[in-house]
């Protein structure tokens, strides 16, 4: 670190040296190269074997970069292999087109001349390499979220998007990053990170005809940041920088993201530097003197315009709120000062704003502005003249109206898509008038009860109409009930006609399955198109199906259901009259839509039971996707509820995969989760590895026996369930290498334990590790977040505002005050008011 | 007219000989749990609730049919209660906001519009409607029972009321519900008040006022209705009362002058001979002008057409002291004040001063006190409409207007139909232990439920600032109690039978702004939610209390407020369409306020977020707990993520549930049996 600071101090000297003295490029001999190498300095050396026009061009650039790089403690040199032959590098053929970076006496990295071909590319690539450990990289939104979470309340983040490497912009960013990382290390408040939403292009070296191999690079999954504060304009492909204000926001109100400011000036080392400094400036400063006597901004903000807003004592709070809102929008463009009207403030009352430009001799200009936009224009227009796409960006700025930005993700997505929302009118409408007739018409009517203003209702309505489209032409009648209109139907008030077959609806949205002359079945699954469609499809056969022949049983167990592979449960009883049949039928009713159920009695039941080695009554279950049925004897007199849990337990996979949809049923078991995160397999080897891992996990369950029953062993595939990525990040603070095995959701506490990352995952060692965790000899790798979710924003306190603006309005009366009730009595003080007398 | 009339008369005759069909009849008395006095709209409304609850009740009516007041009044036979048939909505509850005449029942079609389709229906339609209401619901009404005396006695079972009719028959009841309305004309005593005709007896034929100068005392709707009726024939109409005219559309009080009656304001302001003036009526004197010999055209004198002069009492007394009683001409103000506006004599003076409660039938043991307001014309009542000093005696309908006199709609059918329901709920709780009807909700559903009520509920909308919904917070659940009488909030627990937990309560009230503004001028309406507390038009206000306010706090509440100062308050900004459902101005601020009341994040999350939050936290936010963790997560629909704007970043579709295009992995792991039950696998 010390040498870096020294290098920075050398900056003016270096500048002088370039003008007056020889180049900083050192031409090494074998001996002094060896000395330099062993001194531990960072060296960037080219071993020149050939002489060609291209190489000569490159050497000129290399020489220039030597000046720049010496500020960063990198000594640039060249070794002329033709003068003396070096062991190694001069002899190697690949060295012809490679420049080498040495650190700590060792070769650190080789750069192809395709990559480092001019000053900018050399400086940026070398610094890029040096800073590799210091700068964090963001590949997905999840990465960013994890980083923001980690920084929240502690640090700010400078987020840079580089459209192509090796450019002037890249260099500016790297130089700034270097300064931030190495010279301000003692008070790091900022993390610089790079986004690579798409793989950046490398700039094509001029003069060197070389094929670029970018195809592989850009052919990556495109990840986008729809809800992120930083949306990259893919078409412009220009580099961008954002400042994420995480340090001041322990809990952001608008989203999980920190508030952000985008740098709007063209990118250069200088502009980036002053942008970052400007971000540190207070958002709004309050002054009590006239704008004309306010000092111009001090270093380092001397080149920034000042905007003055005037505040009256009566509206102090509102004024500050407005000023803050404007300051957020002007951040990076101008400094906002709130001038409190006092005798010292001479500005006439007619003006409510003023500004002063940074140019020497400029005076304060006063104006009367009706909207923040007017002021904003003053400072954004000149900058944006050559950047048209900026305007769109501003409109989407989520910080524009901090209080009015929707901070509820469902409300926000519905609002954003309000023009695309499906029209409820395109679906059949159930009303108080047509309810009974409609339900009587089809064997199955699915009804969505919704409220038109509810965002959740609208989100579900969208999925629902998707299902309705898919089911068009089928027996199923898909319909909606607008509960803002048919309030009596939703309240299940029949008003004299036949009774309504459901309880009053008190939760919106609700999906009911209605069959003629039956009471309604409430859909209790995920409110999404796929899950609902599956449920409806599987609800169509009777539940249970009454089976009486061998063929029927076989087809019940094997028949496919569209693309669904439902789990099946078959009840085996001695006779139809068996007491258990009624309970099983009841259980089957509540499984309808999720599990196919069948009922088998008499001789055939005896036969199937005997084949499976169980006695009647019994249940055969076939979990989804399984090949073999499992049989189990049923208790002779089980209630429907007991049967349900029996079937549920029989269907439970020993090592299930966690998905967004099924997590709730596993969490409800209340067991600790021994959770294996696996990544997406790229090839056959990956598959085999994952298979082997799952096998080990099954062995953990088997070896552990009863002891393992307190844990649910499960796994999560980050390719199927990308949301798992940020979970893993939040457990461990960063993304560990995959696969990762963690123990979490222990009933005893919030600790999260990580299985040693570099140890092979073997059943026996996992069990030993678990034992150590139980013994308390393992230390936690992280903690679960708390379970308390305070209100998202501060109270918008109307009482306080009233008190401020009209203190009497909301004050309780003092007890001696006369309480006047109604009162039309003739007012005594004014004997003949308003009379024409 | 009424086919059942002969039968009813017969019944009364039989009643005299103690042959009531009731087996309760003992010693010439009827015993009932509930007696309802009067079969007007409020009596029948209460009858409906008692009948639905299967209570032992009787409605006693002195006339032969229901709502007899409306057979005579309003004298000019046009109701000014709106009967809006077309609202564009099928929501029955919402439509009641614009139906001011119908009573509440569970019959969707038992509405006034079946009788009349006029926006301002003819008065005759109303008794017809009431009769239909009574018959279709089978209410127990005894017609022709004229109760002349009401007393209270103490008995071992508690206080009882004894009602005695014209035949000295007694009706004994534990609870007496006085729904007798207001029908005794209100009078003001002044010198010469005996010379005044009353609204109740004037001719309604405009021809009778031809070329006459008419002075009307009063500036209410009956006064203007009369003025409007005769103004086409009368020479001039002057209106006199102590207060300037108050316009209903400015005061939001439907008892003030309705625009439908205000033609005379036109002719006054356009100087077409009519006029308004203000003098307290007890300060005036009206004298009959005697023939005097000074007239030069003595021969042409009209005979039997007396003229009336308006003067002030003080001049009258002054003259009397000096010259005794014989100073007719000098007493007129024409003589006293040079340009007195009423210096010309009138042909008629008509009193249109409204009606008062008939206190005369109550013996002292049962007599309610006079109200402090409304010139003492009404009985004084508790916040739950019980007589202040007469436990078990409740007053319903127009007579109960002292609770919200000149401020809300409790004196009118569209208001008191709801207060009657509230009183009935008080009765059910007090005498039968049935707590007020309530709905239990998850706290995450509270916002939707509040919005639903705000957008459709008629009770709090009509009875603004008087009835409000009370939400009892219980952590993750809450209890929603509709239409509680706000002034009784300190007694909420005992009146409603619901306990208030340590989580506190929210009260939802519809209210008008209290600022005097130009109601048609610029700046009358607010659209910014941050200044919602300045809204002038009807808008929802939520009051949050951590515990019930005390009687004292209620008494000392800020001037003009329906409730004491709460812990936190939220105004929802007034809306031009009275539809409070916009995401940014209405819903989000409400949600944020509720978050502070229940001290938790109430945002909604997609299933995927809930998944993350559930795995990364000990407990996810409430929405995830009550939805996702109960397997009812909200999947992100792919269509909601396809923006139609170009240029912007394409949102990710990687999380959406529908794509089956993930071909590589499942083939291998399917055999491993990746999920617990039917098809759960790979759907997400």
């Amino acid at each position: 670190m010390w040498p870096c600071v020294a290098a920075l101090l050398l900056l003016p000297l270096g500048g002088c040296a370039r003008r007056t003295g020889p180049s900083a490029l050192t031409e090494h001999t074998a001996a002094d190269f060896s000395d330099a190498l062993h001194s531990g300095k960072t060296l960037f050396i080219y071993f020149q074997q050939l002489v060609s026009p291209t190489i000569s061009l490159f050497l000129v650039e290399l020489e220039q970069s030597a000046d720049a790089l010496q500020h960063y403690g990198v000594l640039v040199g060249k070794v002329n292999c033709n003068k003396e032959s070096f062991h190694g590098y001069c002899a190697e053929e690949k060295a012809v087109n490679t420049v080498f970076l040495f650190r700590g006496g060792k070769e650190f990295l080789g750069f192809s001349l395709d990559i480092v071909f001019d000053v900018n590319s050399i400086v940026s690539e070398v610094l890029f390499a040096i800073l590799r450990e210091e700068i964090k990289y963001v590949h997905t939104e999840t990465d960013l979220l994890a980083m923001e979470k980690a920084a929240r309340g502690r640090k700010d983040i400078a987020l840079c998007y580089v459209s192509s490497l090796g450019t002037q912009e890249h260099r500016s960013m790297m130089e700034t990053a270097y300064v931030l990382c190495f010279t301000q290390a003692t008070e790091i408040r900022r993390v610089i990170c790079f986004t690579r939403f798409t793989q950046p292009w490398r700039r094509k070296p001029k003069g060197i005809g070389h094929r670029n191999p970018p195809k592989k690079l850009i052919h990556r999954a495109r990840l986008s940041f729809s809800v992120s504060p930083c949306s990259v304009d893919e078409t412009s492909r220009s580099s961008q920088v954002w400042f994420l204000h995480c340090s001041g926001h322990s809990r952001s109100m608008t989203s999980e993201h920190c508030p952000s400011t985008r740098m709007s000036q063209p990118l250069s080392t200088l502009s980036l530097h002053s942008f970052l400094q400007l971000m540190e400036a207070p958002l709004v400063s309050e002054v009590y003197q006239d704008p004309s006597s306010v000092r111009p901004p001090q270093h380092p903000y001397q080149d920034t315009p000042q905007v003055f807003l005037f505040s009256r004592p009566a509206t102090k709070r509102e004024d500050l709120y407005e000023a803050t809102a404007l300051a957020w929008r002007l951040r990076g463009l101008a400094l906002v000062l709130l001038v409190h009207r006092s005798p010292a403030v001479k500005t006439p009352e007619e003006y409510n704003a003023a500004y002063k430009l940074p140019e020497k001799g400029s005076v304060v200009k006063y104006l009367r502005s009706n909207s923040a936009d007017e002021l904003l224009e003053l400072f954004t227009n000149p900058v944006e003249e050559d950047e048209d796409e900026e305007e769109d960006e501003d409109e989407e700025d989520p910080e524009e109206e901090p209080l009015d930005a929707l901070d509820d993700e469902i409300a926000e997505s519905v609002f954003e898509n309000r023009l695309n929302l499906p029209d409820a009118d395109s679906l059949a409408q159930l009303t108080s008038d047509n309810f009974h007739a409609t339900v009587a018409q089809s064997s199955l009517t699915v009804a969505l009860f919704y409220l038109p203003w509810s965002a959740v209702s609208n989100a579900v309505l969208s999925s629902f109409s998707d299902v309705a489209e898919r089911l068009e032409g089928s027996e199923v009648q898909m319909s909606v009930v607008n509960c803002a209109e048919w309030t009596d139907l939703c309240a299940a008030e029949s008003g004299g006609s036949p009774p309504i077959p459901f309880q009053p609806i008190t939760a919106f949205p609700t999906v009911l399955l209605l069959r003629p002359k039956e009471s309604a079945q409430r859909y209790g699954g995920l409110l999404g198109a796929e899950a609902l469609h599956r449920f409806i499809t599987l609800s169509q056969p009777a539940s249970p199906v009454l089976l009486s022949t061998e063929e029927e049983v076989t087809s019940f167990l094997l028949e496919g259901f569209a693309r669904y592979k439902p789990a099946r449960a078959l009840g085996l009883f001695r006779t139809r009259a068996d007491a258990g049949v009624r309970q099983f039928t009841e259980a089957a009713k509540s499984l309808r839509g999720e599990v196919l159920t069948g009922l088998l009695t008499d001789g055939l039941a005896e036969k199937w039971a005997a084949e499976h080695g169980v006695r009647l009554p019994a249940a055969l279950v076939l979990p989804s996707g399984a090949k073999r049925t499992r049989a189990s004897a049923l208790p002779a007199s089980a209630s429907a509820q007991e049967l349900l849990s029996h079937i549920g337990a029989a269907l439970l996979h020993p090592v299930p995969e966690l998905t967004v949809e099924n997590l709730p049923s596993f969490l409800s078991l209340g067991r600790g989760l021994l959770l294996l995160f696996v990544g997406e397999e790229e090839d056959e080897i990956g598959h085999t590895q994952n298979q082997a891992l799952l096998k080990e996990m099954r062995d953990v369950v088997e070896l552990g026996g009863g002891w393992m029953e307190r844990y649910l062993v499960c796994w999560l595939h980050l390719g199927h369930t990308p949301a798992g990525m940020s979970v893993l990040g939040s457990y461990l603070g960063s993304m560990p290498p995959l696969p990762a095995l963690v123990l979490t959701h222990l009933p005893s506490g919030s600790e999260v334990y990580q299985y040693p990352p570099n140890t092979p995952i073997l059943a026996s060692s996992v069990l030993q590790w678990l034992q150590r965790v139980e013994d308390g000899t393992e230390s936690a790798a992280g903690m679960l977040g708390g379970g308390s979710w305070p209100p998202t924003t501060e109270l918008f306190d109307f009482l306080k505002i009233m008190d401020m603006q009209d203190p009497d309005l909301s004050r309780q009366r003092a007890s001696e005050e006369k309480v006047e009730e109604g009162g039309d009595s003739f007012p005594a003080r004014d004997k003949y008011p308003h009379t024409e007398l | 007219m009424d086919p059942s009339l002969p039968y009813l008369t017969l019944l009364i005759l039989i009643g005299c000989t103690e042959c009531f069909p009731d087996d309760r009849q003992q010693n010439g008395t009827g015993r009932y749990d509930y007696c309802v006095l009067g079969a007007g709209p409020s009596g029948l409304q209460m009858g409906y609730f008692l009948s639905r609850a299967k209570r032992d009740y009787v409605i006693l009516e002195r006339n032969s049919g229901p709502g007899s007041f409306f057979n005579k009044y309003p004298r000019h036979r046009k109701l000014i209660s709106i009967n809006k048939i077309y609202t564009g909505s099928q929501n029955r509850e919402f439509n009641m906001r614009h139906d001011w005449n119908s009573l509440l029942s569970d019959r969707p079609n038992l509405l006034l519009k079946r009788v009349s389709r006029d926006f301002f229906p003819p008065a005759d339609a109303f008794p017809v409607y009431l009769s239909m209401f009574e018959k279709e619901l089978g209410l127990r009404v005894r017609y022709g029972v004229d109760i002349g005396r009401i007393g209270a006695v103490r008995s071992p079972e508690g206080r009882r009321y004894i009602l005695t009719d014209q035949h000295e028959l007694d009706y004994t009841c534990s609870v007496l519900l006085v729904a007798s309305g207001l029908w005794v004309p209100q009078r003001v005593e002044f010198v010469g008040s005996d010379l005044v005709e009353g609204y109740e007896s004037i001719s309604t034929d405009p021809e009778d006022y031809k070329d006459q100068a008419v002075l009307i005392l009063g500036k209410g709707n009956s006064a203007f209705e009369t003025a409007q009726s005769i103004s086409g024939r009368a020479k001039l109409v002057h209106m006199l009362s102590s207060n300037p005219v108050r316009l209903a559309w400015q005061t939001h009080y439907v008892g003030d002058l309705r625009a439908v009656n205000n033609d005379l304001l036109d002719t006054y302001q356009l100087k077409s001979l009519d006029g308004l003036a203000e003098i307290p009526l007890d300060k005036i004197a009206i004298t009959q002008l005697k023939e005097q010999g000074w007239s030069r055209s003595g021969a042409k004198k009209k005979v039997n057409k007396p003229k009336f002069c308006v003067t002030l009492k003080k001049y009258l007394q002054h003259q009397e002291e000096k010259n005794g009683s014989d100073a007719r001409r000098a007493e007129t103000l024409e003589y006293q004040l040079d340009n007195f506006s009423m210096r010309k004599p009138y042909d008629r003076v008509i009193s249109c001063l409204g009606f008062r409660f008939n206190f005369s039938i109550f013996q002292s043991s049962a007599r309610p006190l006079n109200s402090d307001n409304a010139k003492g014309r009404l009985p004084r009542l508790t916040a739950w409409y019980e007589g202040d000093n007469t436990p078990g005696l409740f007053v319903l309908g127009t007579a109960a207007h002292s609770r919200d006199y000149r401020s809300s709609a409790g004196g009118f059918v569209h208001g008191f139909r709801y207060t009657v329901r509230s009183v009935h709920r008080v009765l059910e709780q007090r005498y039968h232990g049935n707590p007020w009807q309530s709905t239990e909700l998850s706290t995450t559903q509270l916002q939707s439920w509040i919005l639903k009520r705000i957008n459709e509920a008629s009770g709090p909308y009509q009875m603004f600032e008087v009835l409000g919904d009370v939400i009892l917070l219980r952590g993750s659940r809450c209890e929603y109690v509709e239409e509680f009488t706000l002034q009784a909030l300190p007694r909420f627990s005992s009146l409603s039978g619901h306990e208030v937990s340590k989580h506190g309560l929210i009260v939802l009230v519809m209210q008008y702004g209290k600022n005097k503004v130009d109601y048609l001028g610029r700046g009358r309406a607010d659209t910014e939610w941050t200044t919602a507390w300045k809204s002038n038009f009807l808008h929802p206000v939520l009051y949050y209390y951590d515990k019930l306010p005390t009687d004292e706090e209620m008494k000392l509440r800020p001037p003009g407020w329906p409730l004491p100062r709460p812990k936190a308050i939220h105004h929802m900004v007034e809306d031009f369409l009275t539809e409070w459902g916009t995401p940014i101005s209405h819903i989000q601020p409400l949600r944020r306020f509720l978050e502070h009341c229940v001290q938790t994040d109430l945002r909604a999350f997609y299933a995927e977020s809930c998944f993350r939050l559930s795995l990364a936290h000990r407990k996810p936010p409430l929405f995830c707990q009550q939805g996702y963790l109960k397997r009812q997560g909200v999947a992100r629909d792919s269509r909601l993520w396809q923006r139609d704007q170009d240029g912007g970043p394409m949102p990710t579709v990687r999380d959406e549930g529908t794509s089956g295009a993930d071909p590589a992995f499942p083939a291998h792991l399917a055999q491993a049996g990746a999920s617990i039950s039917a098809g759960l696998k790979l759907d997400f």
Side-chain angles (χ1 to χ4, degrees), chain A residues 156 189 243-249 259-265 275-284 301 304 323-336 376 379-380 394 397 399:
Chain A
D156 295 320
R189 286 191 54 233
F243 193 86
L244 310 186
H245 306 269
C246 294
S247 64
H249 285 255
S260 67
T261 309
R262 196 186 121 171
M263 178 173 163
S264 51
Q265 292 87 350
F275 170 74
L276 291 177
Q277 273 181 329
L278 210 47
M279 290 302 106
E280 309 253 291
L283 201 53
V284 176
Y301 312 124
T304 316
T324 310
L326 180 70
W328 269 109
R329 301 176 65 181
L330 283 175
R331 202 155 207 191
L333 298 169
L335 296 166
V336 176
L376 202 62
F379 301 98
T380 46
D394 277 354
D397 187 350
E399 296 299 334

Side-chain angles (χ1 to χ4, degrees), chain B residues 224-381:
Chain B
F224 272 89
E225 162 205 315
T226 307
Q228 189 149 324
S229 153
I230 64 177
S231 63
R233 289 291 174 273
K235 178 172 78 188
L236 59 86
V237 182
H238 287 172
M239 306 185 79
L240 185 68
S241 68
S242 48
N243 286 310
V245 69
R246 284 175 287 222
L247 301 170
W249 59 265
Q250 288 183 337
T251 60
H252 309 299
Y253 174 64
V254 293
D256 286 331
L257 177 59
R258 298 280 306 284
V260 55
N261 277 334
N262 72 5
D263 289 5
L264 200 91
L265 295 183
D266 251 22
T267 51
Y268 171 37
Q269 292 295 329
L270 301 178
K271 294 316 273 183
S272 188
L273 298 178
D274 300 328
L276 311 179
E278 286 77 39
I279 314 177
L281 293 184
D282 54 357
K283 302 278 190 291
I284 64 165
I286 291 181
T287 54
Q288 194 165 358
L289 209 57
K290 287 275 155 57
E291 303 305 326
Q292 290 196 359
W294 53 269
S295 174
R296 279 182 219 164
S297 54
K300 285 188 196 168
K301 258 179 279 179
K302 287 176 190 165
V303 200
N304 296 332
K305 275 282 178 186
K307 294 237 174 193
F308 306 99
C309 279
V310 176
T311 184
L312 291 181
K313 197 162 69 180
K314 56 180 178 181
Y315 296 118
L316 206 60
Q317 285 165 344
H318 183 69
Q319 293 295 331
E320 272 167 358
E321 279 164 23
K322 277 186 176 173
N323 304 334
S325 57
D326 190 28
R328 304 284 180 207
R329 197 68 198 179
E331 283 163 8
T332 65
L333 271 178
E334 187 181 12
Y335 176 77
Q336 297 283 346
L337 282 174
D338 182 52
N339 64 344
F340 178 53
S341 49
M342 296 184 172
R343 55 188 182 268
K344 294 281 186 194
Y346 294 96
D347 295 298
R348 284 166 182 259
V349 182
I350 302 172
S351 159
C352 300
L353 297 172
F355 302 90
R356 56 187 291 113
F357 182 68
N358 183 10
F359 286 96
S360 69
I361 56 171
F362 294 91
Q363 295 179 326
S364 59
S365 57
R367 187 183 187 281
L369 301 174
N370 288 72
S371 61
D372 299 326
N373 56 10
K375 303 189 181 81
R377 291 187 284 148
L378 304 171
R380 189 197 296 173
L381 302 172

Side-chain angles (χ1 to χ4, degrees), chain A residues 224 231 251 256 403-410 413 415 417 420-421 453 456 459 462-463 465-466 469 483-488 505-508 522-528 530 534 565-567 594 624 651-653 657 659-661 663-664 666 681 684 691 694 715-717 720-721 723 726-727 730-731 745-746 749-750 784-787 789-796 798-799 801-803 805 809-813 815 824 826 833-837, chain B residues 89-92 106 243-244 268 278-280 340 375 405-406 439 441 445 448-449 451-452 456 529-530 533-534 553 555-558 561 564-567 569-571 581 583-584 587-588 591-592 595-596 599-601 603-609 611-621 628-629 631-637 639-642 649-652 654-655 657-658 662 664-665 668-669 672-680 682-684:
Chain A
S224 74
S231 42
R251 206 181 142 76
E256 295 172 70
L403 275 175
D404 281 350
L406 289 174
D407 58 9
D408 174 309
E409 63 178 17
I410 297 188
S413 67
F415 184 73
N417 292 281
N420 296 343
L421 288 179
W453 59 77
V456 177
S462 173
S463 306
S465 61
D466 187 357
E469 270 170 39
C483 287
E485 190 80 356
W486 302 103
T487 192
D488 41 357
I505 310 289
T506 56
F508 300 95
R522 189 174 159 278
Y523 171 66
L526 188 72
L527 294 164
E530 189 62 15
R534 184 183 62 225
K565 297 193 192 75
E594 292 176 70
S624 163
L651 287 170
L652 184 64
H653 190 277
E657 179 188 355
T659 62
V660 170
E661 186 172 3
L663 176 72
F666 294 125
E681 308 82 348
E684 201 56 42
Q691 284 299 306
L694 290 179
W715 57 287
L716 202 156
H717 187 276
H720 301 167
T721 314
S726 77
V727 173
S730 78
Y731 285 160
H745 281 68
L746 296 171
S750 301
L784 288 178
W789 298 91
T792 39
T793 49
E794 260 181 56
L795 178 65
F796 190 86
F798 278 113
L799 276 180
I801 298 174
M802 287 181 203
D803 288 347
Q805 300 200 5
L809 187 70
S810 60
R811 203 177 55 200
Q812 289 280 99
R813 281 179 265 217
S815 48
D824 60 341
F826 183 64
H834 315 293
T835 172
E836 284 222 355
L837 275 172
Chain B
S89 171
Q90 309 270 9
N91 185 328
R92 285 175 51 205
D106 56 7
N243 286 310
Y268 171 37
E278 286 77 39
I279 314 177
F340 178 53
K375 303 189 181 81
Y405 184 65
R406 294 202 41 77
T439 310
L441 301 168
Q445 289 294 323
S448 283
W449 207 258
L451 286 168
K452 187 166 155 63
E456 71 179 23
W529 71 264
T530 52
W533 62 282
K534 293 177 176 168
E553 284 165 343
K555 208 173 103 197
L556 299 176
R557 64 189 188 272
W561 282 39
R565 183 183 167 101
K567 272 259 168 283
I569 199 167
H570 181 67
H571 284 254
I584 293 169
I587 300 181
Q588 178 157 288
R591 194 207 78 220
R592 287 174 173 167
E595 285 182 350
H596 282 275
Q599 276 303 306
T600 195
D601 188 336
R603 284 181 297 177
F605 295 92
Y606 281 113
E608 192 190 72
S609 303
F611 171 86
R612 272 194 292 111
L613 296 166
S614 305
L615 271 181
H617 292 261
R618 285 218 70 82
K619 252 196 218 164
Y628 177 71
L629 286 189
R631 302 182 57 216
Q632 285 252 282
V634 179
R636 190 171 266 181
D637 188 67
R639 291 194 276 194
L640 280 189
W641 290 87
Q642 282 158 16
M650 271 304 285
T652 172
R654 69 197 147 107
D655 304 332
T658 52
D662 194 356
F665 190 69
H668 293 263
L669 285 187
S675 67
I676 49 157
S677 75
L680 290 187
L682 304 178
D683 269 342
F684 235 81

